[in-house]
Amino acid sequence: MSQGAHSKLRSIECKRLVIKIGSSILTQPLDSSSESTCVQVERINALCTQIATLKASISEIVIVSSGAVASGFSLLGFLQRPKDIIDKQACAAVGQARLLWQYEQAFSKHSLHIAQMLLTKDDLSNPKRYLYASAALRRLLELGTIPIINENDPVLVDELKYIETFGDNDNLAALVAGMIDADLLLILSDVDGLYSANPATNPNAKRISEVLEISEQITNLAEQDTNSAVGTGGMASKLKAAKKAMQTGCNVAIIKGANAENIAKFFNGEDVGTYFHLPANAIKKRKFYISYVAIPKGKLYIDYGAQKAIKDGKSLLPKGVLEVQGSFEAGDVVSIYTPQHQEIARGKARYSGYECAQIIGRDSKDIAKILGQSYGDCLIHCDDMAILE
């Protein structure tokens, strides 16, 4: 990776980071003759130390962590990763508790709190649940926690697996990056990046330091990789995730996670891993969707104070809204108008039209008292809003 590539990374001022940690990074064989695994406590401690150091300059960090099944199957007496879906569910339920406990112990040494969020594909395909999940995630970040996300494996069933799962946590990490408008998705892998050939079989294979476009040629390089013994995603999976994240306007890097110091090296501009960076004119696809693709289901008319606030990058609070028009649900896109009936922005409403009508003009602290519950102190969060030029 060239120094120039890392200069571009530093120039994007990474404020929101998603780190994906694979199963093979977190677990190790119990002995040389066994396929059973256990959590690598020293590895988790080293990774958490590096992440805690990053927290001083990158305030919002989310971890998407694999390893629940790999952490659980030896505890339940399985000699290797089970193939039966019900056994995997049981292993995930036991392993997730063990894994989160290890994370909590590691981060507590740095006076940092963690939070757990377990998701299914349905949580992100349902507009209202997606909205509430993203709102909860943002609030956790505002409170200074490090959310740790995994797929909710124990609730999945074999008959529905093909529509309810993300496939692997590389894909989940890309979706989370899009959900929170992350600046960078950092994938910690058991290999140190994308290679020109399979390094396990070709001694002449060379690491590719920088990728500007995930072309068909680049995609073909990943097909030669094989899956890890304890994980579900190989390089092909990581490349698909990288492409998906880049489509949301997020930079991506894949580095070897076995050496925790690679995290610091990457952010210091050293040549580690493979960096997939966006062109200078890239836009956030989610904002593009809100601005130009989604059909607004309602209108909010705002006062001058709210107009200035949202142009300054602030969220839209109920106190600054003068009028609500239209019938819409939470998660729908609505138009935002000035008192002169000029549309200046669009955004995803956190409350339905009926609920908005009851709380406009009121202080945010009154929302719960008026509605009986609160989904946050704003009608539209700044991350879910696009200013129209």
Side-chain angles (χ1 to χ4, degrees), residues 71-307:
S71 299
F73 68 75
S74 61
L75 295 174
L76 292 179
F78 292 95
L79 297 180
Q80 59 185 359
R81 184 185 180 96
K83 293 180 171 53
D84 188 276
I85 186 64
I86 297 178
D87 288 339
K88 288 181 181 179
Q89 290 173 300
C91 292
V94 172
Q96 185 67 22
R98 171 61 65 91
L99 189 62
L100 263 290
W101 183 81
Q102 296 288 0
Y103 274 121
E104 183 178 12
Q105 294 295 305
F107 277 119
S108 66
K109 298 174 183 176
H110 307 280
S111 300
L112 292 172
H113 298 291
I114 66 167
Q116 176 180 251
M117 184 173 286
L118 299 176
L119 298 172
T120 65
K121 190 69 175 289
D122 190 50
D123 294 325
L124 302 191
S125 61
N126 181 293
K128 184 177 288 190
R129 290 165 69 176
Y130 178 94
L131 180 73
Y132 295 155
S134 61
L137 190 53
R138 292 192 191 107
R139 184 58 180 149
L140 288 168
L141 292 171
E142 289 171 359
L143 292 171
T145 70
I146 298 179
I148 298 178
I149 299 176
N150 198 355
E151 185 168 10
N152 196 2
D153 290 318
V155 305
L156 302 176
V157 293
D158 197 25
E159 292 85 350
L160 299 179
K161 191 171 180 63
Y162 71 102
I163 61 170
E164 286 199 349
T165 69
F166 301 103
D168 55 66
N169 275 355
D170 296 319
N171 184 36
L172 173 58
L175 294 175
V176 170
M179 174 192 286
I180 64 171
D181 271 347
D183 299 304
L184 175 69
L185 167 60
L186 181 64
I187 300 176
L188 303 186
S189 175
D190 52 1
V191 294
D192 53 355
L194 179 67
Y195 276 76
S196 59
N198 190 338
T201 58
N202 189 337
N204 296 319
K206 298 185 182 300
R207 177 172 53 85
I208 300 173
S209 296
E210 180 182 2
V211 173
L212 301 177
E213 178 188 4
I214 302 181
S215 61
E216 183 177 354
Q217 179 183 6
I218 293 294
T219 301
N220 290 338
L221 292 177
E223 298 298 335
Q224 56 204 339
D225 181 43
T226 56
N227 287 349
S228 165
V230 296
T232 57
M235 184 55 67
S237 167
K238 290 168 178 55
L239 212 54
K240 289 177 182 177
K243 187 172 185 178
K244 186 172 295 185
M246 292 174 74
Q247 288 173 341
T248 71
C250 181
N251 297 271
V252 181
I254 300 174
I255 66 174
K256 191 167 187 176
N259 181 359
E261 293 181 357
N262 280 338
I263 296 175
K265 290 179 180 178
F266 175 78
F267 282 97
N268 287 333
E270 296 185 35
D271 185 9
V272 293
T274 300
Y275 178 39
F276 305 78
H277 67 81
L278 299 169
N281 61 349
I283 64 170
K284 294 288 187 182
K285 290 298 180 74
R286 189 153 65 96
K287 297 290 181 88
F288 181 88
Y289 170 82
I290 291 172
S291 298
Y292 304 112
V293 180
I295 299 174
K297 300 293 182 64
K299 298 179 180 180
L300 301 178
Y301 287 87
I302 64 175
D303 62 23
Y304 294 110
Q307 181 179 344

Side-chain angles (χ1 to χ4, degrees), residues 19 44-56 61 107 110 259-265 267-268:
I19 301 175
I44 289 180
N45 287 336
L47 289 171
C48 291
T49 296
Q50 291 290 329
I51 295 170
T53 301
L54 275 184
K55 197 90 165 58
I61 299 177
F107 277 119
H110 307 280
N259 181 359
E261 293 181 357
N262 280 338
I263 296 175
K265 290 179 180 178
F267 282 97
N268 287 333

Side-chain angles (χ1 to χ4, degrees), residues 300-311 315-324 336-342 344 360-363 379:
L300 301 178
Y301 287 87
I302 64 175
D303 62 23
Y304 294 110
Q307 181 179 344
K308 182 180 185 303
I310 65 173
K311 285 191 173 181
S315 298
L316 178 61
L317 303 180
K319 191 170 186 177
V321 180
L322 303 171
E323 182 184 352
V324 180
I336 302 171
Y337 286 82
T338 68
Q340 288 76 36
H341 299 266
Q342 177 189 3
I344 60 169
I360 60 171
R362 303 292 293 269
D363 287 333
L379 295 188

